[in-house]
Structures are given as C-alpha cells and as structure tokens.
Amino acid sequence: MTAFVLPSPATSSVAVAGSAERFAVRRIFCVGRNYAAHARELGNDERDPPFFFTKPADTVVDSGTTIPYPPLTGNLHHEIELVAAIGKAGFRIARAQALDHVWGYGVGIDLTRRDLQDEAKKEARPWDWSKAFDRSAPCSPLVPARTSGHPQSGRIWLAVNGEVRQNGDLAELIWPVADIVSICSEAVELKPGDLIFTGTPAGVGAVRPGETITGGVDGVGTIEVTIGQPMS
C-alpha cells in the first residue's frame, strides 16, 4: 500500500439519479462558445472551431448546494450546460463511435467570474481564475445513457429566482456531443470519470448573494443551487 505524507484528498463525485452509487470525477472539460447566439452575445464568430478549457475535479458540487459568492469578482455569471459523463476510455475516437464512450448525462452550471475573464481576454492571459475556482461546477445527478438515450434536441433552460434567463434547445449546439467527444479526444486520452460541459445558450447574466438558480435539460434532469454570502 502506498504511503502518503499527507492524507489523500477525497474523491470528487457526482450523484447518480435513482441510485445510492456516485460517479467518481477524474477531470472536467468545458467547451466554449458552442451555441451561435451565445457566441454572438459575447462578440465572437459562431463559425469558430470548438475550444476547451478545464476545471479541477473538486470544483464539482451537487444540486441543492449553497455556494458562497466567490472572492475577486463583482460579476458572477451563470451558464447552463448539458454535461456528458465519459465511461469508456479512448484516444482519437472516431465520431461514429464517440457516443459509445458516454456513460450518461447531467445538467451543469459553469459559474464564471466574468470580470476576471474579460480582463484576461484583454491581456491575452489564461482564463483559469475566471473559471476554475472553488464550487464553480455544480452538476445535477447523472442519468445513464441507457435510460436517457443520447439527447440530440430538447429544451435547455435556466432561471434566477424563477425568472427565465436562458432558454435554448440542444439542437442549436454548433458541435453536438459526438463531435465534442471526438475532437476532445484528439488532444487528450479521455478516461472514465471525465465530465464534458458542452456549452451554454444565450442569456448568460449576473447572479447575486441570496439568489436561487434553477435549470434543466429535457429528458435529463434539473438542477438548483443558491448563491450564498461571500466567505469571510
């Protein structure tokens, strides 16, 4: 048995719908600008090829969590996303076989410190501090693909205090899940436990302490988190 000089960190995980078991999370990949309307609202060209950024595995939290308003920002944004959970390893996966590597699906929120992201863009610096902060990747319970199928269309939405802010359809994805899995696997070997946040529709906006975010994807599930007060 390997001995560690400090206690080994707890395994990050996501709930599984209808089960006491959990899905151990290895890595989190996120796709930027994968809905044309969202790309346009941020002033970008929707014809760009997909690109990826990452969040640490331990940024994932369950639906129902109260998330403290993060430090270093005055402009925290919500981004609702379909999440694909990888269950089978693969490198340079052909698009035709890509969905065979998806174990299931969930509903995620890519929380973003937009002011830090805007500053990083202006300075041509990495986005890490805007995306990869504590509790920035809430995720609903995962539904196995054998139950949900592989959704190609269906409503994806988000509301803040009951007011709908984002309202799109999975059919509007510029790069569908099979493309995303295949393209991501060109750069890294995907392995079981990897999550891929597949992009957000238009309507992103700020949330404040005390506000509740709800969202969902037809046929997959719903998510709810509350933004708490800043950590003291």
Side-chain angles (χ1 to χ4, degrees):
M1 179 179 293
T2 302
F4 297 98
V5 297
L6 294 174
S8 180
T11 300
S12 299
S13 64
V14 178
V16 174
S19 174
E21 296 182 316
R22 295 182 66 86
F23 184 91
V25 176
R26 178 173 178 265
R27 294 179 296 188
I28 301 174
F29 300 99
C30 304
V31 183
R33 305 172 194 161
N34 201 23
Y35 286 79
H38 174 58
R40 289 194 296 270
E41 76 178 346
L42 295 183
N44 300 296
D45 186 342
E46 66 265 26
R47 295 187 299 276
D48 286 344
F51 68 91
F52 298 83
F53 57 91
T54 63
K55 293 177 182 263
D58 65 2
T59 60
V60 75
V61 293
D62 285 333
S63 179
T65 298
T66 295
I67 299 170
Y69 194 91
L72 303 181
T73 186
N75 195 21
L76 179 68
H77 276 211
H78 57 74
E79 299 189 8
I80 190 74
E81 314 213 1
L82 173 71
V83 177
I86 301 298
K88 177 183 175 184
F91 178 58
R92 294 178 177 168
I93 302 166
R95 186 190 187 283
Q97 282 77 52
L99 295 181
D100 295 339
H101 294 257
V102 178
W103 182 88
Y105 295 92
V107 183
I109 302 172
D110 168 19
L111 291 173
T112 302
R113 296 193 278 205
R114 189 71 72 201
D115 41 4
L116 297 191
Q117 185 187 38
D118 290 343
E119 181 180 343
K121 287 179 180 178
K122 290 177 183 177
E123 300 294 332
R125 292 177 177 174
W127 290 6
D128 296 56
W129 253 212
S130 69
K131 291 286 192 178
F133 55 94
D134 296 339
R135 296 172 287 270
S136 62
C139 188
S140 75
L142 300 177
V143 178
R146 65 176 182 272
T147 300
S148 66
H150 295 284
Q152 306 294 317
S153 62
R155 186 186 181 216
I156 177 171
W157 62 275
L158 180 143
V160 177
N161 289 345
E163 177 187 352
V164 175
R165 297 257 191 99
Q166 294 183 264
N167 194 20
D169 195 287
L170 297 180
E172 298 167 357
L173 281 164
I174 299 171
W175 300 94
V177 173
D179 291 294
I180 292 167
V181 171
S182 178
I183 294 167
C184 188
S185 75
E186 291 290 324
V188 297
E189 181 182 4
L190 292 172
K191 292 188 177 182
D194 291 341
L195 298 181
I196 303 178
F197 281 55
T198 61
T200 195
V204 300
V207 288
R208 297 171 178 82
E211 293 186 323
T212 297
I213 304 171
T214 53
V217 175
D218 284 357
V220 175
T222 59
I223 188 170
E224 177 177 321
V225 296
T226 298
I227 304 300
Q229 296 300 314
M231 294 178 63
S232 57

